[in-house]
């Protein structure tokens, strides 16, 4: 199980390879929210998202002989790049299984980070069977995207940094809003805050219509999303919270929040204008909740994790044209 | 005169108020440049540019009784916001004199940062006389944009951070490319590197057609720009290097570089795609030189300062549409 000891051990392995992202702020955002807003920009992490932390944590935790045979992951997005970069940093092979209709840029980026990309046909091929076959033949270790203790521990290092940086800013009581898919980042941060900054409370934020974690927390048992496509916040859409992440979130997190796609785009435009960072729609939902759901947040300050910035120019400019002033 | 002692004293006053910006990188940028590229993103500094450092340094260095009467600056851009935020942080008044045809957003931002904005008519009013009159009546202290020892000392704190962060990255010999207007940032960084990282060499980068500093360094005496308008890199266009900054640059800097406007826009698009930061055209020229002038740079690594990110959405999307593919 992931514990604070596992997170601190991951932080030691990540010191150097991972980037310590700063804590950003702007008086203009404070004014919109009606309280201090502190933003943790994980878009500035290697590969453009927090996923590098979990990927590096998991790859570095493997027994060297096992690791040398290589790793495998299923992902068309940020997890793919995080695992590929972590494997490359360790000098071991990685295989990333992606749908053949994934964007060319994501395929090219993952290859450029040193991964062997294996494409499959969503309609006619069984992804899991293909992965199991490759893993068996080559002795590859599967790195799951969130429901894996060492991945959660890596994401939790974000929470260790937030605890230290919030204390430097004089913030000891606040909601920490986290963009939430399967719950790896949210549960990791929640565990870190429990140990290091108990006055800070992690809360998951999701897109409206895909708020499986918020509903699961409210119901007290795991709920599924009715659909998995059709959101611009694709980076954080998962079927349901994880079997490992959910009990952690249930024990430690405050109620979940949900924002509209339009609010995510507005938050992207404000992050451009006021913080000079690039965030993707799925990485903007926590900042959107901090800015546009002030009545649902407690305390004089709020911390929002901007979890990733892998957005294409077209989508980004749509946000700026609609809301960028 | 500005010395390393003055820079270190400024760093003490800036610890807390200023943000320690990280050092960013991407293997994709390394591949374009043919060497390691490290980027110091001062766009993430308070007010969106390095100018906050110099403003804070100058305001905090004033005698408290003098400071209490307030400060005054001439600027329609980044220096205005830096001085306004520094004055507000000290709880003292600031007056910023801006042309009446300055963009509404910049006027509004400067006011929102707590400054009294005094507009003048470029065609019919004498800016300096207006400033002198206000300063005399109210006892305000003028904060010059670059040719002022405490301003240079504040900008030089960027160089202290670069020296430490480059050492952490194992880089001890490299060119440090700096977006250069009047030379406050370049000369401050050069002084810091001389003392703390003598293997790192500061070099000014300017837009083609506005390369007064490069020509002044080559000629051995101060040269002027033939014109002062018509560049999208407006943030770093000044008539000529400063009387204080030029001798420092002459003693310590390597040859200047110049890039085209198109190269600056391409660098902005690559910073969006690969680093997830927002930089303005004038803040992109150093990165452009690092990426597109590899033959003019020495060493296995290059450090580029991204000096500011105060760009409007229209210009930013033009860069992405043309080069953000």
């Amino acid at each position: 199980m992931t514990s604070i000891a596992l997170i601190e051990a991951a932080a030691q392995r990540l010191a150097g390879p991972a980037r310590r992202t700063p804590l950003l702020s702007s008086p203009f955002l404070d004014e919109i929210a009606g309280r201090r807003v502190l933003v943790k920009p994980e878009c500035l992490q290697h590969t453009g998202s927090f996923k590098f932390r979990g990927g590096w944590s998991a790859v570095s935790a493997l027994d060297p002989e096992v690791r040398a045979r290589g790793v495998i992951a299923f992902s068309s997005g940020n997890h793919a790049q995080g695992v590929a970069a972590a494997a490359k940093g360790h000098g071991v092979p990685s295989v990333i299984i992606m749908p053949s209709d994934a964007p060319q840029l994501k395929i090219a980026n993952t290859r450029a980070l040193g991964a062997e990309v294996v494409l499959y046909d969503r309609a006619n091929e069984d992804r899991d069977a293909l992965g199991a076959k490759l893993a068996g033949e080559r002795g590859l270790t599967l790195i799951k995207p969130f429901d894996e203790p060492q991945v959660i521990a890596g994401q939790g290092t974000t929470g260790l940094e937030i605890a230290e940086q919030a204390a430097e800013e004089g913030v000891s009581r606040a909601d920490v809003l986290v963009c939430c898919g399967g719950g790896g980042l949210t549960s990791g941060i929640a565990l870190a805050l429990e140990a290091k900054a108990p006055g800070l409370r992690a809360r998951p934020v999701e897109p409206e219509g895909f708020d499986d974690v918020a509903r699961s927390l409210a119901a007290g048992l795991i709920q599924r999303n009715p659909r998995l496509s059709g959101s611009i916040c694709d980076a954080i859409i998962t079927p349901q919270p994880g079997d490992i992440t959910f009990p952690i979130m249930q024990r430690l997190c405050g109620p979940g929040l949900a924002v509209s796609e339009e609010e995510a785009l507005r938050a992207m435009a404000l992050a451009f204008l006021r913080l000079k960072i690039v965030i993707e729609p799925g990485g903007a939902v926590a900042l959107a909740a901090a800015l546009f759901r002030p009545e649902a947040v407690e305390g004089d300050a709020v911390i929002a994790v901007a979890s990733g910035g892998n957005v294409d120019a077209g989508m980004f400019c749509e946000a700026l044209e609609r809301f960028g002033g």
Side-chain angles (χ1 to χ4, degrees), chain A residues 60 117 169 184:
Chain A
S60 63
V117 174
E169 295 288 334

Side-chain angles (χ1 to χ4, degrees), chain A residues 77-265:
Chain A
N78 291 334
H79 180 57
Q81 296 188 51
V83 170
K88 188 178 187 187
H90 284 84
V92 304
S94 64
V95 175
I96 309 292
I97 302 188
M98 300 175 86
S100 52
D101 57 352
Q104 284 301 314
L105 182 68
K106 288 193 173 176
I107 295 174
N109 282 350
T110 307
R111 285 200 173 119
L113 289 168
E116 176 186 345
V117 174
V118 174
L119 301 173
Y120 75 99
D121 176 353
R122 282 192 219 241
N124 300 310
E125 283 185 280
D126 179 343
R127 185 187 81 163
D128 292 329
L130 177 64
K133 180 168 173 288
L134 282 170
E137 284 170 4
R138 306 195 198 173
L140 305 170
T141 302
L142 175 67
I143 308 291
K144 290 193 271 187
F146 54 84
D147 223 24
E148 152 61 41
Q150 288 293 3
V151 170
I152 296 170
Q155 321 305 26
T157 62
T158 316
L160 295 182
E161 293 176 15
I162 289 171
E164 286 179 22
Q165 293 168 324
E168 285 166 15
E169 295 288 334
V171 173
S172 59
R173 295 198 71 79
D175 281 354
V176 177
L177 309 185
V178 188
C179 306
C180 189
L185 180 62
T186 310
S187 62
I189 288 175
L191 285 167
L193 296 179
E194 179 193 24
K196 300 295 177 184
L200 304 182
R201 176 178 67 158
R203 297 180 64 182
V205 185
E206 297 164 292
E208 288 173 357
F210 301 88
D211 59 342
D212 53 305
V213 174
R215 289 185 292 106
S216 299
L217 289 173
L221 77 173
I222 287 179
Q223 308 284 304
R224 292 180 65 84
N225 279 320
R227 59 195 172 99
L228 292 176
S229 61
S231 172
I232 60 170
C233 303
D234 56 306
I236 59 167
I237 305 300
T238 46
Q240 61 181 53
D243 292 331
I244 300 175
T245 60
F246 180 62
I248 300 169
M249 292 192 283
Q250 204 174 16
R251 184 167 70 81
L252 296 174
C253 288
L257 297 137
V259 299
S260 68
E261 293 195 350
E262 182 173 311
E263 288 170 322
L265 292 171

Side-chain angles (χ1 to χ4, degrees), chain A residues 24-39 169 270 273-276 291:
Chain A
L24 305 179
S25 61
S26 160
F28 297 95
L29 299 184
D30 297 351
E31 195 178 328
I32 294 169
R35 56 168 62 86
R36 278 184 81 186
V37 179
L38 299 167
V39 177
E169 295 288 334
L270 284 162
L273 190 63
R274 301 306 184 189
L275 302 175
K276 316 303 175 188
L291 296 174

